Amino acid sequence: DGGLASSCNSLGEMSETGEGARRDPIAAAIMYRRGCIYASGEACMNLGRLQYGGSPGAGSAQEAKATFERGCTYRSELACATLKVAFGENKPYIPNVRRSEQLRRACDTGHAKDCSLIALVNLAMGMKPMAQNDLQRACTMGDGFACAIQKVAK
C-alpha cells in the first residue's frame, strides 16, 4: 500500500484527538475506514473501537465485530484482544510488552483512549481488577468504547 494504510490511521488519530488537526470524530471514522480497507490492523481496531463505543459517523456496534475480526486478521493484537473480551471468542492473544508500556504511560498522563486500551490488554490477560480502574477512568473522561467494554467486563 506504500504507507497509505498507516497514513490513513495517523490522520484518523489526529482527527479523533484534535492533536495536529481539527477534532472531528466523523472524519476520524472515515480515515480509519480507509486505513482498514488498505489492510491496517490498527486502523481496523480504531474504527471498531469507535463503532463499539457509538461514535457518530463510525457505524453501528453490530458492525464492530466484523471490523475487529478484520483487524485481528491484519495482526492487530488489540483487535484480537477485543474479540476475546467483548465477544468471548477464543482468539490467541500475545501482548506486545513495549506497546503496553506506552499505553500505560499515556493513560497515566490522562489520555482516555490509552486507558481503555491498556484496560483491554489487562482484561485479555485475565487481570480484571487492574482493568476495571482504567475502564472507569477512561469512561469518566468520555471514552465510549471504555464505557461499552465496562458493561461486558463486569
Side-chain angles (χ1 to χ4, degrees), residues 39-134:
S40 166
E42 292 307 307
C44 294
M45 173 60 201
N46 283 324
L47 176 61
R49 185 177 48 76
L50 293 182
Q51 290 169 332
Y52 197 77
S55 183
S60 69
Q62 291 77 22
E63 295 173 87
K65 184 176 180 186
T67 304
F68 290 130
E69 286 172 345
R70 189 170 184 166
C72 188
T73 299
Y74 295 147
R75 300 180 190 244
S76 165
E77 78 274 2
L78 294 172
C80 296
T82 305
L83 288 169
K84 181 176 184 173
V85 171
F87 300 99
E89 296 212 357
N90 190 17
K91 295 287 182 185
Y93 177 70
I94 301 168
N96 178 328
V97 175
R98 184 170 167 225
R99 175 88 187 268
S100 295
E101 289 169 352
Q102 291 169 337
L103 292 172
R104 168 54 53 209
R105 281 193 302 275
C107 175
D108 289 346
T109 60
H111 294 265
K113 172 186 168 186
D114 298 304
C115 289
S116 67
L117 294 178
I118 193 63
L120 183 66
V121 168
N122 289 329
L123 285 170
M125 294 181 359
M127 297 188 292
K128 193 172 182 177
M130 184 182 289
Q132 291 293 355
N133 289 335
D134 290 327

Side-chain angles (χ1 to χ4, degrees), residues 11 13 27 32 34 38 61 86 103 111-112 125 146-147 151 154:
L11 287 170
E13 288 176 340
Y32 290 147
R34 286 182 185 163
Y38 288 114
L103 292 172
H111 294 265
M125 294 181 359
C147 298
K151 290 176 187 170
K154 287 191 175 196

Side-chain angles (χ1 to χ4, degrees), residues 8-9 11-12 15 24-37 43 47 50 56-58:
C8 289
N9 187 59
L11 287 170
S15 294
D24 185 344
I26 295 172
I30 290 168
M31 295 314 301
Y32 290 147
R33 185 171 279 109
R34 286 182 185 163
C36 187
I37 289 167
L47 176 61
L50 293 182

